């Protein structure tokens, strides 16, 4: 049984005041939810707010992560943040290969693979995002695109690295659009991802957690999370409202033992 994991991607949002009310809102409800220990929950604020959020999330029930990191450890890379720096300020996760970074900042599969390597070496858990655009889906390339995205990371890091990672399947056409993949569409790609990993190592494939991301909300979370290969959610917009984020966490906790 894989432990579900729900992670909030705050993107370019937040302020000291807003973060405090969001995190305290989430934590106060979580404290009363007995089954929350059955799932992992984390939030990924912008870099500069990680120390603040880590300080607020004193109870171990809320992890903190970055939304990106450099593939380099140190040196002349102006504007970059090294994975070791993230770890140093309390982050334990890092989202890598998000479609916004692939599309807007030119992150190739090889760069993403190098970032995974650096993040693992620093002790972080990478959340590796993969997924196809609408054009790719409509031209029947979903599996080919996802296969290449995963293959680069397997080639660069080895299959055993996936024991220390989380994968997020995020169809690009569902991110921030309000258009969610149907449970069947999502399950099909999740099973494909697990199958590709199983071609290398069946036990790694069985243990790796694969989140769904793309307009997940309390109203659609339960049916997505009920799918056999969906092990949690990577949540953008809905992670900025305590009630919505908690609603998804509750849906994830409800799947445990069912
Ligand atoms: C995301 O950006 O990872 C995401 C899933 O966003 P949203 O939930 O807003 O679609």
């Amino acid at each position: 049984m894989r432990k579900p994991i729900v992670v909030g991607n705050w993107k370019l949002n937040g302020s000291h005041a807003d973060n405090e009310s969001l995190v305290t809102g989430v934590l106060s409800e979580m404290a009363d939810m007995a089954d929350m220990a059955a799932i992992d929950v984390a939030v990924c604020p912008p870099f500069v707010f990680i120390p603040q959020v880590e300080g607020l999330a004193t109870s171990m029930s809320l992890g903190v992560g970055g939304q990106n990191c450099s593939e380099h450890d140190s040196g002349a890379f102006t504007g970059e943040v090294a994975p070791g720096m993230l770890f140093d300020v309390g982050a334990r996760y890092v989202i890598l290969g998000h479609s916004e970074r692939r599309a807007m900042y030119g992150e190739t599969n090889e760069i993403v693979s190098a970032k995974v390597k650096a993040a693992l070496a620093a002790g972080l858990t990478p959340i590796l995002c993969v997924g196809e655009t609408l054009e790719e889906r409509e031209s029947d390339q979903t599996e080919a695109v996802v296969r290449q995205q995963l293959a680069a990371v397997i080639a660069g890091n080895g299959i055993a690295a996936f024991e220390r990672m989380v994968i997020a399947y995020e169809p690009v056409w569902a991110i921030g659009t309000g258009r969610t993949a149907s449970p069947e569409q999502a399950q099909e790609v999740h099973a494909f991802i697990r199958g590709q990993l199983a071609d290398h190592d069946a036990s790694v494939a069985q243990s790796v957690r694969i989140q769904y991301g793309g307009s997940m909300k309390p109203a659609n979370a339960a049916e997505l999370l009920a799918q056999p290969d969906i092990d949690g959610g990577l949540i953008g917009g809905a992670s900025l409202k305590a009630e919505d984020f908690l609603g998804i966490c509750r849906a994830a906790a409800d799947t445990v033992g069912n």
Side-chain angles (χ1 to χ4, degrees):
M1 177 71 197
R2 296 177 292 269
K3 189 176 189 185
I5 175 165
V6 178
V7 176
N9 172 14
W10 290 4
K11 310 195 189 199
L12 190 57
N13 295 290
S15 67
H16 268 133
D18 289 349
N19 303 343
E20 180 157 0
S21 87
L22 177 55
V23 172
T24 52
V26 168
L27 284 174
S28 67
E29 290 275 326
M30 275 174 74
D32 296 335
M33 291 157 68
D35 44 4
M36 276 298 120
I39 66 169
D40 288 330
V41 184
V43 293
C44 299
F47 291 137
V48 292
F49 295 129
I50 290 173
Q52 180 207 8
V53 172
E54 201 269 332
L56 290 167
T58 44
S59 69
M60 292 299 286
S61 49
L62 186 67
V64 183
Q67 299 171 16
N68 175 37
C69 69
S70 174
E71 64 270 47
H72 303 288
D73 293 333
S74 64
F77 302 101
T78 302
E80 291 290 271
V81 173
M85 296 171 185
L86 287 181
F87 192 91
D88 197 22
V89 295
R92 293 295 175 263
Y93 298 93
V94 62
I95 298 169
L96 293 174
H98 190 281
S99 63
E100 287 155 15
R101 296 215 55 88
R102 291 179 190 264
M104 293 191 264
Y105 301 97
E107 292 194 7
T108 62
N109 289 338
E110 289 64 37
I111 292 172
V112 173
S113 175
K115 289 185 176 203
V116 165
K117 180 172 271 199
L120 286 169
L124 297 170
T125 299
I127 299 171
L128 170 67
C129 300
V130 297
E132 80 290 358
T133 63
L134 187 57
E135 200 185 2
E136 289 162 346
R137 172 160 285 263
E138 287 176 343
S139 57
D140 243 350
Q141 291 176 61
T142 298
E143 292 189 354
V145 168
V146 170
R147 184 189 301 114
Q148 281 165 16
Q149 290 170 335
L150 269 183
V153 179
I154 297 170
N157 296 274
I159 190 70
F162 283 78
E163 282 170 348
R164 295 186 289 139
M165 290 167 62
V166 172
I167 297 173
Y169 167 58
E170 298 207 305
V172 180
W173 46 273
I175 297 179
T177 59
R179 186 177 165 189
T180 318
S182 70
E184 296 73 26
Q185 282 174 320
Q187 167 58 26
E188 196 178 7
V189 183
H190 281 237
F192 173 78
I193 291 170
R194 210 177 292 289
Q196 184 178 350
L197 298 177
D199 289 342
H200 295 265
D201 187 314
S203 103
V204 171
Q206 269 318 302
S207 64
V208 70
R209 294 180 292 181
I210 309 176
Q211 301 173 304
Y212 168 79
S215 299
M216 196 187 259
K217 305 175 197 70
N220 60 28
E223 53 176 2
L224 285 159
L225 293 165
Q227 299 299 313
D229 288 295
I230 300 185
D231 307 312
L234 182 55
I235 320 300
S239 71
L240 297 172
K241 290 191 193 131
E243 254 328 295
D244 288 355
F245 189 59
L246 284 161
I248 296 169
C249 292
R250 273 189 210 102
D254 285 348
T255 64
V256 179
N258 289 340

Short mmCIF file of all heavy atoms in Angstrom, two decimals, residues 9 11 98 100 170 174-177 213-216 234-238, ligand 1:
data_model
loop_
_atom_site.label_atom_id
_atom_site.label_comp_id
_atom_site.label_asym_id
_atom_site.label_seq_id
_atom_site.Cartn_x
_atom_site.Cartn_y
_atom_site.Cartn_z
N ASN A 9 1.44 23.44 -4.70
CA ASN A 9 2.40 24.25 -5.46
C ASN A 9 1.85 25.67 -5.49
O ASN A 9 0.92 25.96 -6.23
CB ASN A 9 2.52 23.68 -6.89
CG ASN A 9 3.34 24.58 -7.80
OD1 ASN A 9 4.03 25.49 -7.33
ND2 ASN A 9 3.27 24.32 -9.10
N LYS A 11 3.19 28.31 -6.55
CA LYS A 11 3.66 29.11 -7.71
C LYS A 11 4.11 30.50 -7.22
O LYS A 11 4.63 30.62 -6.12
CB LYS A 11 2.58 29.19 -8.79
CG LYS A 11 2.02 27.82 -9.16
CD LYS A 11 1.25 27.85 -10.44
CE LYS A 11 0.54 26.52 -10.63
NZ LYS A 11 0.12 26.28 -12.00
N HIS A 98 8.40 20.98 -13.77
CA HIS A 98 7.01 21.45 -13.93
C HIS A 98 6.85 21.99 -15.36
O HIS A 98 7.77 22.59 -15.92
CB HIS A 98 6.72 22.55 -12.90
CG HIS A 98 5.27 22.91 -12.84
ND1 HIS A 98 4.68 23.73 -13.77
CD2 HIS A 98 4.28 22.52 -12.00
CE1 HIS A 98 3.39 23.85 -13.48
NE2 HIS A 98 3.12 23.12 -12.42
N GLU A 100 5.43 24.50 -16.52
CA GLU A 100 5.68 25.94 -16.69
C GLU A 100 7.17 26.20 -16.84
O GLU A 100 7.59 27.08 -17.59
CB GLU A 100 5.07 26.72 -15.51
CG GLU A 100 3.55 26.75 -15.62
CD GLU A 100 2.80 26.93 -14.31
OE1 GLU A 100 3.41 27.30 -13.30
OE2 GLU A 100 1.58 26.66 -14.32
N GLU A 170 1.06 15.40 -14.83
CA GLU A 170 0.30 16.63 -14.97
C GLU A 170 0.06 16.93 -16.45
O GLU A 170 0.93 17.50 -17.12
CB GLU A 170 1.08 17.80 -14.35
CG GLU A 170 1.33 17.65 -12.87
CD GLU A 170 1.48 19.01 -12.21
OE1 GLU A 170 2.32 19.80 -12.64
OE2 GLU A 170 0.72 19.28 -11.28
N ALA A 174 -4.52 20.52 -18.48
CA ALA A 174 -5.39 20.54 -17.29
C ALA A 174 -4.86 21.48 -16.21
O ALA A 174 -5.54 21.70 -15.21
CB ALA A 174 -5.52 19.12 -16.74
N ILE A 175 -3.67 22.02 -16.42
CA ILE A 175 -3.07 22.85 -15.36
C ILE A 175 -3.62 24.27 -15.42
O ILE A 175 -3.46 24.97 -16.43
CB ILE A 175 -1.53 22.87 -15.49
CG1 ILE A 175 -0.98 21.46 -15.28
CG2 ILE A 175 -0.92 23.84 -14.49
CD1 ILE A 175 0.52 21.37 -15.41
N GLY A 176 -4.28 24.67 -14.35
CA GLY A 176 -4.78 26.03 -14.23
C GLY A 176 -5.91 26.35 -15.19
O GLY A 176 -6.27 27.52 -15.36
N THR A 177 -6.48 25.35 -15.82
CA THR A 177 -7.50 25.60 -16.84
C THR A 177 -8.91 25.28 -16.35
O THR A 177 -9.89 25.62 -17.01
CB THR A 177 -7.26 24.70 -18.08
OG1 THR A 177 -7.30 23.33 -17.65
CG2 THR A 177 -5.91 25.01 -18.72
N GLY A 213 -1.86 15.80 -11.17
CA GLY A 213 -1.97 17.26 -11.02
C GLY A 213 -2.63 17.87 -12.23
O GLY A 213 -2.36 17.48 -13.37
N GLY A 214 -3.51 18.84 -11.99
CA GLY A 214 -4.20 19.51 -13.09
C GLY A 214 -5.63 19.77 -12.69
O GLY A 214 -6.49 18.91 -12.83
N SER A 215 -5.85 20.99 -12.12
CA SER A 215 -7.20 21.41 -11.71
C SER A 215 -7.86 20.43 -10.75
O SER A 215 -9.08 20.21 -10.82
CB SER A 215 -8.08 21.68 -12.93
OG SER A 215 -7.52 22.71 -13.71
N MET A 216 -7.07 19.83 -9.86
CA MET A 216 -7.69 18.98 -8.82
C MET A 216 -8.32 19.89 -7.77
O MET A 216 -7.74 20.89 -7.37
CB MET A 216 -6.68 18.03 -8.17
CG MET A 216 -7.34 16.91 -7.39
SD MET A 216 -6.16 15.90 -6.45
CE MET A 216 -5.97 14.49 -7.49
N LEU A 234 -0.83 16.82 -6.89
CA LEU A 234 -0.02 18.04 -6.88
C LEU A 234 -1.00 19.16 -7.22
O LEU A 234 -1.61 19.15 -8.29
CB LEU A 234 1.12 17.95 -7.90
CG LEU A 234 2.09 19.15 -7.95
CD1 LEU A 234 2.70 19.46 -6.60
CD2 LEU A 234 3.21 18.89 -8.97
N ILE A 235 -1.15 20.08 -6.29
CA ILE A 235 -2.28 21.01 -6.34
C ILE A 235 -1.78 22.43 -6.52
O ILE A 235 -1.01 22.93 -5.68
CB ILE A 235 -3.09 20.96 -5.01
CG1 ILE A 235 -3.24 19.52 -4.47
CG2 ILE A 235 -4.43 21.66 -5.16
CD1 ILE A 235 -3.95 18.57 -5.39
N GLY A 236 -2.22 23.11 -7.57
CA GLY A 236 -1.86 24.51 -7.78
C GLY A 236 -2.88 25.43 -7.14
O GLY A 236 -2.87 25.66 -5.92
N GLY A 237 -3.81 25.94 -7.95
CA GLY A 237 -4.78 26.93 -7.48
C GLY A 237 -5.47 26.58 -6.18
O GLY A 237 -5.59 27.42 -5.28
N ALA A 238 -5.92 25.34 -6.04
CA ALA A 238 -6.68 24.96 -4.85
C ALA A 238 -5.81 24.87 -3.60
O ALA A 238 -6.34 24.76 -2.49
CB ALA A 238 -7.41 23.63 -5.09
C1 LIG B 1 0.25 22.74 -10.95
O1 LIG B 1 0.63 23.85 -11.32
O2 LIG B 1 1.07 21.87 -10.64
C2 LIG B 1 -1.19 22.49 -10.91
C3 LIG B 1 -1.61 21.26 -10.79
O3 LIG B 1 -2.00 23.60 -11.01
P1 LIG B 1 -3.62 23.62 -10.89
O4 LIG B 1 -4.00 22.73 -9.74
O5 LIG B 1 -3.95 25.05 -10.64
O6 LIG B 1 -4.13 23.11 -12.19
#
